[in-house]
Amino acid sequence: MTSEDLKEIWVSCDKCGVARSKYLVKLVSGQLYFCNHHLAQYKAHLDKLAYEIIELDKKEEVPQLIKERI
């Protein structure tokens, strides 16, 4: 399962088990899912342990090209 697949399904936060996870935290020993609140709470520690933190609901806008008329 890729991080793209996780954007479409509901995964609960590993800490509280109630809120929908917004972040996938990849560690050498496995992965964890966190809601906004719990990622913020443990961010300083996770930054030292995680090799990647992926925002699951991130919406990226594609820049529009503007054609100038001459």
Side-chain angles (χ1 to χ4, degrees):
M1 183 176 303
T2 68
S3 60
E4 288 297 316
D5 296 333
L6 291 172
K7 290 179 182 181
E8 304 298 323
I9 62 173
W10 201 95
V11 179
S12 64
C13 172
D14 283 329
K15 181 62 179 171
C16 66
V18 177
R20 182 176 184 179
S21 60
K22 299 292 183 179
Y23 296 92
L24 168 60
V25 179
K26 292 187 175 184
L27 308 164
V28 174
S29 59
Q31 57 190 26
L32 296 168
Y33 298 93
F34 288 106
C35 61
N36 288 331
H37 168 78
H38 286 109
L39 181 75
Q41 184 177 358
Y42 298 110
K43 181 102 170 70
H45 189 65
L46 290 170
D47 283 342
K48 296 174 186 174
L49 298 175
Y51 66 86
E52 187 174 17
I53 297 176
I54 300 169
E55 186 176 351
L56 297 175
D57 289 340
K58 186 174 183 178
K59 304 277 191 243
E60 294 186 28
E61 293 187 26
V62 177
Q64 299 290 324
L65 294 177
I66 300 173
K67 293 183 180 180
E68 292 184 27
R69 295 176 119 173
I70 299 176

